[in-house]
Amino acid sequence: MSKLVIAARNRQSKGSGEARKIRRAGRIPAVLYGRSGKALSIDVDALGFANGIKTISASTIVKVEVDGKTYDAFVKDTQRNMVDGSILHVDFYEVESDVTVRARVTVHLKGNPAGVREGGILENPLQQIEVESLPKDLPERIELDISGLGVNQYIYVKNIPLAAGVRVLTPADKTVVLVKYSKDASAAAASEDAAAK
C-alpha cells in the first residue's frame, strides 16, 4: 500500500494568536517530533489532512513533506474542537527505517462465526495488540478470519499469525475474540439437560 503523503510548511511563528491565524487560513498547526528529541513546527492543509487520516490507523506510517524534505512518521495525536470536531493541532512522530518501533495495531474481524449462527454471542474484548518491528514490517492492521469460530471457542493473541520480523508485546494469553452462549441459550441447554435426567 502506498503511503499517505502530507504536504507541510515550516512554521516560524508560534503562540495561540498565530495558531488561530493559521486555522483561519484553512491550515492546521502541527509539530513533527524527531527521534533525536528535536521538534519542527509545521502546518498542514486542514481539508487534505482531515480526508487523509480517514484511511489510516494508529500504526500507519505517513510521509510528511516539509519544504522539499521527506520524513516518515506516525500521526501520534490530533487535538479536536469539542464543539464541532474540527482538528486544532497535530503531533507527528518521526520514524527511521533501521530503528524498531512500537505501535498498537487494530485487529479487524472478518466473517460470520459458526457459533453465532448457532445462537452464540460474539465478544471482542481486545481490539488492538501492541507489536514491535522495523517500520517496513509494521502491519497497518491485522485481518483475522473468525468464520470458523464455534460456541465456547476463543482466539488468543498467541493464535494471531504475523509476518516474520514482527514481535508481539501484548501478553500471549489475552483473549482477542470469543463466542459464548447467550443467557437464554444457556438456560435452554440447562433445561434440556435436566429433562434428560
Side-chain angles (χ1 to χ4, degrees):
M1 178 182 283
S2 60
K3 289 181 184 171
L4 172 66
V5 178
I6 298 170
R9 301 185 310 197
N10 262 307
R11 177 166 54 98
Q12 303 301 329
S13 304
K14 297 173 185 160
S16 56
E18 185 63 25
R20 283 193 294 272
K21 191 187 299 182
I22 290 168
R23 291 185 197 107
R24 282 196 298 270
R27 300 188 68 79
I28 304 169
V31 176
L32 173 64
Y33 292 97
R35 291 195 56 88
S36 61
K38 293 179 102 177
L40 181 64
S41 295
I42 57 176
D43 61 60
V44 299
D45 177 69
L47 184 59
F49 180 78
N51 288 335
I53 63 166
K54 292 175 184 175
T55 63
I56 69 171
S57 68
S59 59
T60 302
I61 296 173
V62 300
K63 286 191 174 295
V64 182
E65 291 185 349
V66 186
D67 298 338
K69 188 169 181 184
T70 302
Y71 304 86
D72 285 343
F74 289 124
V75 178
K76 288 302 279 185
D77 187 40
T78 54
Q79 297 170 15
R80 291 182 179 268
N81 183 310
M82 294 181 69
V83 177
D84 63 12
S86 62
I87 300 170
L88 300 175
H89 190 273
V90 183
D91 287 339
F92 296 97
Y93 183 75
E94 183 187 6
V95 298
E96 296 175 18
S97 61
D98 59 345
V99 178
T100 58
V101 294
R102 290 184 175 193
R104 299 191 72 79
V105 181
T106 302
V107 178
H108 285 262
L109 306 180
K110 292 183 359 182
N112 184 19
V116 170
R117 296 192 299 273
E118 297 164 8
I121 295 174
L122 178 70
E123 292 191 1
N124 179 206
L126 193 65
Q127 287 92 35
Q128 293 182 326
I129 63 169
E130 188 174 12
V131 301
E132 181 179 70
S133 73
L134 289 172
K136 69 180 180 62
D137 298 322
L138 186 66
E140 284 193 41
R141 61 185 53 84
I142 296 166
E143 302 285 347
L144 187 59
D145 185 0
I146 58 170
S147 54
L149 199 62
V151 177
N152 289 333
Q153 289 187 334
Y154 301 74
I155 296 177
Y156 300 100
V157 169
K158 64 185 174 188
N159 304 129
I160 296 177
L162 290 170
V166 179
R167 187 165 76 92
V168 179
L169 303 177
T170 302
D173 60 350
K174 289 267 190 187
T175 301
V176 179
V177 63
L178 67 136
V179 176
K180 67 178 190 179
Y181 275 118
S182 66
K183 288 182 181 176
D184 292 343
S186 297
S191 298
E192 285 175 14
D193 286 347
K197 290 180 181 175

